[in-house]
Amino acid sequence: MTNQILSVEGMTCDHCAQSVKDAVNVLSGISRVEVDLENKSVTVEFDEAQTKIECIADKITEVGFDIKN
């Protein structure tokens, strides 16, 4: 399993956090998604054999949030 932290802009409330979790959890190989609203970050634990970080980032942007480098 791989742990990755993404910096995500635009999340302001629990509804935003749930939207991100729901979007990422539909991908194969996701075992954990944690959203930290205060630090504007999303921590994802996933199997790189089943999904890539780029796919996870794409899902987050699809629901309306920006990934920062």
Side-chain angles (χ1 to χ4, degrees):
M1 287 293 170
T2 300
N3 268 328
Q4 189 86 29
I5 299 173
L6 298 169
S7 180
V8 180
E9 291 292 323
M11 299 183 301
T12 58
C13 64
D14 289 337
H15 178 71
C16 295
Q18 193 61 51
S19 294
V20 169
K21 287 180 185 180
D22 291 345
V24 173
N25 276 321
V26 300
L27 295 169
S28 297
I30 302 295
S31 58
R32 183 174 57 93
V33 180
E34 291 183 9
V35 176
D36 184 337
L37 292 173
E38 185 176 323
N39 292 316
K40 299 179 182 175
S41 67
V42 177
T43 303
V44 184
E45 184 177 318
F46 62 100
D47 181 349
E48 284 187 297
Q50 294 184 2
T51 194
K52 302 291 180 223
I53 193 64
E54 295 82 9
C55 294
I56 296 167
D58 287 347
K59 277 292 185 185
I60 293 171
T61 56
E62 279 178 22
V63 293
F65 303 100
D66 296 320
I67 305 295
K68 300 295 179 191
N69 294 331

